[in-house]
Amino acid sequence: MTSWTIAPEPFGSTAARALWRAYYTEISDRWYQREYGLPKDDSEELEQEIVATTGAEFGPPSGALLIARYGGEAVGCAGVHLLEPGTAEVKRVFLLKKVRGKGGADLLLDAVEKAALDLGARRWYWTPGLTWWRHGPSMRGTVL
C-alpha cells in the first residue's frame, strides 16, 4: 500500500519549486482555457510570476511550508504564515492531478491546520478569502 507523508520543508527546496511551478501552470492554464479557449499558457508572464514567488513568507519563525509525498514522491504542498498574532493565511494548497482522490487532501488540510495552530493562529484565511475559525476538533466545516 502506498503511503502519504507530510512534513515541513524549506520554501526554496527543489520539491517546493517544482510544485509551485505545477500549481501556477495549472491555474494559468485553466484561466487561459476559460478566457481565451487556449489549452495552455507558455507565456513569459507566467515564468516571471513563478520566479518572483519565493515563498519566503512560509519560512520560520512565522510560517511553515508543508510538502506532501505519496510513495516518497513530492506531490503536494500547503503554506501557512502569520498575518498578525493569532491570524494566519493559508496559501498554495495543491495536489498534483495524478494523486487527487487518494486521500491526500484531508491529510494535507489536517497538517496545515496543525501548523497554523503551532504558529499560534486561532483563525486563518485561506486565499481567496475564506475564513476558518477554530471550532471543536477541526476548523474544516466552519467556514464563515
Side-chain angles (χ1 to χ4, degrees), residues 2-138:
T2 305
S3 64
W4 286 95
T5 58
I6 300 172
E9 198 161 308
F11 60 82
S13 72
T14 301
R17 300 304 295 168
L19 288 164
W20 291 346
R21 177 172 294 284
Y23 168 83
Y24 279 112
T25 300
E26 184 174 321
I27 289 172
S28 175
D29 288 354
R30 282 189 211 167
W31 186 82
Y32 270 81
Q33 178 65 43
R34 188 187 73 222
E35 296 296 317
Y36 300 110
L38 300 174
K40 186 175 179 181
D41 175 28
D42 291 323
S43 73
E44 185 176 317
E45 181 180 9
L46 174 61
E47 186 62 30
Q48 288 173 353
E49 181 63 28
I50 292 168
V51 170
T53 308
T54 67
E57 68 269 27
F58 303 124
S62 61
L65 174 67
L66 305 175
I67 299 294
R69 294 180 186 277
Y70 187 67
E73 179 187 358
V75 295
C77 61
V80 60
H81 68 103
L82 291 176
L83 296 171
E84 59 187 40
T87 303
E89 180 180 35
V90 175
K91 295 175 76 172
R92 296 193 196 140
V93 178
F94 177 73
L95 288 172
L96 295 175
K97 286 181 183 180
K98 67 183 180 180
V99 296
R100 293 177 192 167
K102 298 182 183 288
D106 282 342
L107 297 172
L108 190 54
L109 290 174
D110 287 346
V112 79
E113 177 179 333
K114 182 182 180 323
L117 292 169
D118 289 349
L119 291 170
R122 293 298 171 255
R123 69 176 178 166
W124 62 80
Y125 298 90
W126 183 359
T127 306
L130 299 178
T131 305
W132 289 0
W133 294 85
R134 180 76 183 149
H135 180 73
S138 174

